[in-house]
Amino acid sequence: MNGPAILVGQGPLAALVAGVFAALGCSAAEAGRIASRLVGANLRGHDSHGVVRVPRYARMLRDGLLVPDVTVEVTGGNGVVLLIDGRYGFGQSVGEQAVDIGIEAASRHGVAVTALRNSGHLGRIGDWAERAAAAGLVSIHMVNVRGSLLVAPFGGIDRRMSTSPFCAGVPGSGDEEPIILDMATSVVAEGKALVALKGGKPLPDDAMVSGAGEVSGDPGHLYGPVAEGDYPDPSRGPGALRTFGEHKGSGLNFLMEVMAGALTGSGCAGALDEPRRRSCNGMFSLYLSPEALVGTDPFLAEVRSYVAFLKSSRPVKPGGEVLIPGEPERRMLARRSNDGLPLPPEVRADLAATARDAGVDRETIEAFVQAAG
Ligand code: NAD
């Protein structure tokens, strides 16, 4: 199903998504949280981590692989280092609870480490760094996906890794925005391959390796042939995603598996003794209060001065500019909040079908269908 993306207002889209998860058994509060975080990812330009995920989350909830309304459990640690079990709850809820535990501990001790295991998909990791930055904390988040084999290591064809994002946040002061670096360690996140497969933005030419070892931009290498009406399954293709930055990105991806998979106890992407592990996110997070180090004001002043220095670099392209991490997302947020969110036809159709299957009321579905043309 091809055709142009249509701009949809965030209101009817969020109402539809919340309707799906409420109809499938989540509390109204959790359904609203899932909707606002997914739509929030679309608003910031990360369509890969937005509403395109709804059919997959719905299927996992139905299959018992995701559990509604989970309260996380602190299973170990010493108040500064905290082991947290996400108990297979929705990442949108589990992530929020885990980050709040980290914020609380770092606000008290100046530093905290949280090791989150067994979390549902944590979505756009920048959400969590933004939450810590809003509390005045610098944070680093290393994430892996146990059970997800999507990425080939440098020099290999066979999948041995997940897309394992690295994220860091630095608070702004007053009305300044935080600085958020948030990146998959693959050339693109898997969801971007899904978006490309569904007629959205094409992939870079070096994003994939085919089953024969050729470098390619074709998302089909990840999914293989998809039958009409089937949801594309990224475990079925003969090829793999590639890590960014050749051997360097591959090394960083390996570190994500060690920190978020092995050190949290969540488990790495795979292992030789098991064919396929149950899917979940692990997240290792470090929270730091600048007050406990150089002091908040001197820290923020130095960062502000460095940002101005960095941005003063002459642009490569006439009329271009140097951006800092997080700036593209903020600009997109302003634009899409105003203009609406572009949804390709297949994503619109998938959302409406998922809502009908879940038993969402006719009014909510109609409002979405009207808004989405
Ligand atoms: P991306 O390549 O679009 O951006 C990566 C980073 O580079 C961002 O911090 C962005 O602000 C910055 N950036 C982009 N363009 C820039 C420019 N011109 N100048 C300066 N900085 C710039 O992001 P991605 O790697 O495709 O990741 C997409 C999302 O996928 C992220 O939100 C990530 O957390 C998420 N993700 C989640 C999981 C999971 O399991 N939960 C797995 C993989 C990825």
Side-chain angles (χ1 to χ4, degrees):
M1 192 186 295
N2 286 317
I6 287 180
L7 293 176
V8 182
Q10 52 179 301
L13 181 59
L16 185 88
V17 174
V20 166
F21 294 105
L24 291 177
C26 297
S27 66
E30 175 157 78
R33 203 154 42 231
I34 297 167
S36 75
R37 293 223 178 273
L38 291 181
V39 172
N42 287 103
L43 282 170
R44 288 166 179 78
H46 291 297
D47 295 336
S48 57
H49 286 68
V51 299
V52 74
R53 301 264 167 178
V54 168
R56 197 181 294 179
Y57 284 7
R59 202 179 52 217
M60 290 180 79
L61 184 56
R62 280 204 173 100
D63 293 348
L65 296 172
L66 271 174
V67 183
D69 291 298
V70 155
T71 300
V72 302
E73 190 183 345
V74 177
T75 57
N78 58 15
V80 176
V81 176
L82 297 124
L83 271 166
I84 303 171
D85 192 337
R87 302 169 62 219
Y88 299 101
F90 275 86
Q92 289 74 14
S93 298
V94 163
E96 199 167 290
Q97 293 173 49
V99 170
D100 287 350
I101 290 170
I103 290 173
E104 208 273 321
S107 304
R108 191 179 313 185
H109 303 290
V111 60
V113 168
T114 58
L116 173 64
R117 63 172 76 174
N118 301 335
S119 171
H121 187 241
L122 287 160
R124 175 185 166 261
I125 306 305
D127 279 344
W128 313 123
E130 276 172 14
R131 199 168 176 89
L137 299 173
V138 174
S139 67
I140 290 176
H141 309 268
M142 299 182 184
V143 175
N144 87 322
V145 199
R146 185 183 78 203
S148 162
L149 294 175
L150 296 169
V151 180
F154 181 70
I157 294 175
D158 300 319
R159 305 163 178 211
R160 294 290 183 266
M161 301 162 148
S162 64
T163 52
S164 301
F166 174 83
C167 179
V170 176
S173 74
D175 55 5
E176 280 173 16
E177 300 288 348
I179 299 165
I180 306 291
L181 172 64
D182 178 22
M183 48 176 252
T185 48
S186 45
V187 175
V188 293
E190 183 263 316
K192 288 205 162 96
L194 182 63
V195 168
L197 192 79
K198 286 180 174 285
K201 192 176 167 195
L203 298 181
D205 290 344
D206 63 347
M208 310 285 313
V209 57
S210 75
E214 287 148 354
V215 174
S216 159
D218 178 359
H221 295 306
L222 196 62
Y223 299 95
V226 182
E228 183 76 30
D230 270 9
Y231 192 74
D233 180 348
S235 69
R236 293 210 181 131
L241 291 168
R242 299 180 72 233
T243 55
F244 85 96
E246 306 296 338
H247 56 289
K248 298 182 188 182
S250 192
L252 196 56
N253 184 303
F254 176 75
L255 187 69
M256 299 302 116
E257 293 291 351
V258 170
M259 303 297 284
L263 201 54
T264 62
S266 202
C268 296
L272 287 175
D273 58 350
E274 291 175 66
R276 182 80 189 253
R277 297 178 156 192
R278 179 174 175 181
S279 174
C280 72
N281 269 153
M283 179 162 77
F284 173 92
S285 301
L286 173 65
Y287 301 87
L288 288 164
S289 165
E291 199 52 40
L293 295 161
V294 291
T296 301
D297 289 343
F299 170 71
L300 294 177
E302 185 67 9
V303 172
R304 194 178 306 120
S305 153
Y306 183 65
V307 166
F309 178 58
L310 188 99
K311 288 176 77 68
S312 71
S313 178
R314 287 175 302 130
V316 170
K317 289 188 191 148
E321 67 178 310
V322 172
L323 302 177
I324 53 164
E327 235 178 336
E329 283 84 352
R330 274 205 306 284
R331 290 183 181 185
M332 187 66 91
L333 175 64
R335 188 154 79 239
R336 288 189 170 180
S337 297
N338 190 52
D339 299 350
L341 304 163
L343 286 190
E346 200 168 331
V347 177
R348 297 196 305 265
D350 284 351
L351 283 171
T354 305
R356 280 186 209 103
D357 287 354
V360 174
D361 63 277
R362 276 248 296 271
E363 249 173 51
T364 306
I365 297 178
E366 266 313 301
F368 168 73
V369 170
Q370 293 288 329

